Amino acid sequence: MNGAVQNGNRPREVPVRVSAEYEGRPGDIARGRELARGFLARVRATRNRPVSDRAVDLVQLVVSELLTNACKYAPGPSLVALEMAEDRVEVTVWDSAPVLPVAEGPDPDRIGRHGLEIVMAVCQSFEVHREPVGKRMRAAVRLADDRNGTALGHAS
């Protein structure tokens, strides 16, 4: 049925979602990027959705940055979920640390700790919510480039 479920006479697209659990082991960040690449390849192949190469790169970057923070600062497991939502993919990372991340101000002399700044710059939206255990971070990345050839989320 080509990814659709019949609801009466109207076809409805089945949501595309993938998730994985990570333990903070060496290679987890690379596995998270591979999860994102595979997910977006599946979206391209089975959903007939435009997914720009830039969007693939940005989603991998967002997964990498958020998962790096989870592995670095949160004890225990972390979860990564990717889900299609209209013209974007939503990247959600849960970890067990209750402390909410805060983006630091720009500082070209600072070494490291730029990940959240980067995520916020390339995403349509970014939000963090405290959970009963830990926190959940959600970022949305547009799948198609606009007329100017950019997939960056913030309108100028």
Side-chain angles (χ1 to χ4, degrees):
M1 270 197 315
N2 212 11
V5 173
Q6 293 297 327
N7 181 9
N9 290 332
R10 297 178 320 196
R12 186 188 62 171
E13 190 172 297
V14 176
V16 176
R17 184 179 187 345
V18 67
S19 63
E21 181 178 340
Y22 300 95
E23 297 292 333
R25 295 187 191 122
D28 279 354
I29 289 86
R31 284 186 284 279
R33 286 191 302 267
E34 180 57 36
L35 178 75
R37 263 191 314 276
F39 172 74
L40 292 172
R42 191 175 82 200
V43 167
R44 277 178 169 162
T46 64
R47 299 291 179 198
N48 260 346
R49 294 276 182 106
V51 179
S52 72
D53 290 341
R54 182 176 290 182
V56 172
D57 292 342
L58 290 177
V59 171
Q60 289 180 86
L61 175 66
V62 169
V63 167
S64 181
E65 292 297 340
L66 296 180
L67 189 54
T68 295
N69 287 348
C71 290
K72 191 171 183 179
Y73 300 113
S78 56
L79 302 170
V80 174
L82 298 131
E83 185 169 10
M84 288 297 305
E86 298 172 8
D87 65 342
R88 66 193 180 279
V89 62
E90 292 185 352
V91 176
T92 304
V93 175
W94 171 87
D95 68 46
S96 61
V99 177
L100 301 182
V102 177
E104 297 185 31
D107 181 355
D109 296 325
R110 182 176 68 236
I111 298 172
R113 299 186 333 265
H114 293 280
L116 195 54
E117 290 174 66
I118 294 167
V119 167
M120 293 171 74
V122 302
C123 292
Q124 276 185 300
S125 64
F126 176 74
E127 57 190 46
V128 181
H129 298 282
R130 194 170 275 124
E131 298 283 327
V133 174
K135 66 182 166 297
R136 186 170 310 274
M137 298 171 283
R138 179 171 298 179
V141 177
R142 286 184 35 210
L143 292 176
D145 292 345
D146 66 14
R147 286 174 277 165
N148 297 323
T150 180
L152 299 180
H154 298 291
S156 311

